Amino acid sequence: MGEFSRIGLVGRTGSPSAVSTLKRTLRYLEREAYDVVLEENTAKQLPARDVPTCPREKLGESCDLVIVVGGDGSLLGAARALAKHSVPLLGINRGRLGFLTDITPDQIEQKVGDVLAGKYLAESRFLLSMSVMRDGELVGQGSALNDIVLHPGELIRMIEFDLYIDGQYVYTQRSDGLITSTPTGSTAYALSGGGPIMHPKLDAIVVVPMNPHTLSSRPIVVEGSSELKLVVTSENTANPMVTCDGHDSVVTKPGDEIRIHKHPHRMTLVHPLDHNFYETCRSKLNWHSS
């Protein structure tokens, strides 16, 4: 037995394929005599199993490793909940692309076994924190491993905002919004918006305008330690929303300040030894290979 002994297990809810893979993963872990803790919502999909359970936020307090069965969205949720505990995450893909969850279901016994035996690569990824201030008072906050997005919300119309980076005024923009992304999120929504692909090891943040009302507005890559501030202007006829990884939305009002910076905690993503970022891009993004 390697360095991991107590394993947390989190699964995508409402997915028959994920449930099937959860059962296979659990059988393997029990057969290899690992202590397993099921996340409480995951446990509801595996009835009549005599396995300890706990809330997702508590898994990091007692587990050496958390295995996430689902898509990248499932891993994003686990990362936001568990980052403060510094517990490593390993993903088994039951989603679509699988940039973060890179073990396929038919590789469970081999790849998970190698990781549990200490044969793995570990990547440290940073998250972003967001807070919305109104007249000096905090009205909402959240965190994201991929991106924080300012967008019109339910109405399809342009919004206007001011952007400041490290206290310096950058521009006033009219657009469909703004994506602020980590390197992890650069292959997600930011990529669809025309942003660059960033290697996960980069200490940088990319700011990507969404359909700006000027052809000269381009993505900007800034230092990872940068402090960003967005100010919702009085010209808006809608109340823009701020969303973290597609969750934790906060409705803003004119004059609100959205502050974005590095989260105080990082997360560790575990991969099999043969993981290759460029091969992942090649296969997931259909790049040509000879």
Side-chain angles (χ1 to χ4, degrees):
M1 189 173 293
E3 60 191 280
F4 303 120
S5 58
R6 190 170 177 84
I7 314 299
L9 193 55
V10 177
R12 178 181 173 186
T13 58
S15 166
S17 62
V19 171
S20 175
T21 301
L22 275 167
K23 291 178 179 178
R24 178 172 173 174
T25 305
L26 182 56
R27 286 196 301 267
Y28 170 73
L29 294 173
E30 291 178 328
R31 188 167 65 245
E32 296 297 316
Y34 286 96
D35 290 334
V36 181
V37 180
L38 288 173
E39 185 266 339
E40 58 184 5
N41 289 325
T42 302
K44 295 176 183 177
Q45 303 180 78
L46 304 172
R49 298 304 296 256
D50 187 21
V51 180
T53 66
C54 76
R56 177 178 301 192
E57 292 76 11
K58 299 288 186 179
L59 282 176
E61 296 178 3
S62 60
C63 295
D64 308 308
L65 176 74
V66 172
I67 298 177
V68 181
V69 178
D72 288 346
S74 300
L75 196 138
L76 291 173
R80 292 192 302 272
L82 298 172
K84 63 182 178 181
H85 298 294
S86 301
V87 60
L89 303 183
L90 175 67
I92 298 175
N93 187 26
R94 290 299 341 194
R96 295 179 181 175
L97 279 178
F99 267 100
L100 303 175
T101 51
D102 50 10
I103 293 178
T104 60
D106 61 343
Q107 297 174 320
I108 289 173
E109 289 79 8
Q110 177 189 349
K111 298 291 187 180
V112 174
D114 285 346
V115 169
L116 296 178
K119 301 174 184 177
Y120 63 86
L121 301 173
E123 289 182 342
S124 178
R125 307 281 186 102
F126 73 84
L127 295 84
L128 293 173
S129 289
M130 176 278 297
S131 59
V132 178
M133 307 298 296
R134 182 175 302 153
D135 299 324
E137 298 290 331
L138 178 68
V139 295
Q141 59 187 342
S143 60
L145 177 59
N146 264 0
D147 47 47
I148 294 170
V149 181
L150 176 67
H151 59 98
E154 298 178 356
L155 300 176
I156 303 175
R157 61 181 61 177
M158 282 195 169
I159 58 177
E160 185 177 282
F161 55 89
D162 301 329
L163 171 65
Y164 296 82
I165 299 176
D166 291 330
Q168 297 183 341
Y169 173 71
V170 180
Y171 51 55
T172 298
Q173 184 178 101
R174 287 183 58 79
S175 67
D176 288 346
L178 194 74
I179 304 168
T180 304
S181 171
T182 66
T184 300
S186 70
T187 52
Y189 197 15
L191 181 62
S192 299
I197 294 175
M198 298 194 291
H199 193 280
K201 292 183 180 180
L202 283 176
D203 185 13
I205 297 170
V206 65
V207 181
V208 182
M210 298 166 59
N211 301 319
H213 204 222
T214 170
L215 296 178
S216 60
S217 292
R218 309 301 301 164
I220 303 173
V221 179
V222 299
E223 285 186 287
S225 59
S226 299
E227 301 274 344
L228 280 69
K229 181 175 74 173
L230 305 175
V231 180
V232 181
T233 72
S234 59
E235 301 300 318
N236 289 288
T237 56
N239 290 328
M241 298 177 68
V242 191
T243 305
C244 300
D245 284 347
H247 296 272
D248 301 328
S249 293
V250 179
V251 179
T252 69
K253 294 182 178 180
D256 284 0
E257 295 183 358
I258 301 128
R259 300 175 183 177
I260 302 171
H261 54 83
K262 263 188 186 177
H263 193 279
H265 302 287
R266 300 175 71 95
M267 62 85 68
T268 299
L269 185 60
V270 173
H271 301 285
L273 283 176
D274 61 356
H275 172 75
N276 182 305
F277 174 71
Y278 302 110
E279 193 281 327
T280 300
C281 290
R282 224 174 16 251
S283 62
K284 305 299 182 182
L285 301 177
N286 296 316
W287 289 353
H288 173 74
S289 60
S290 57

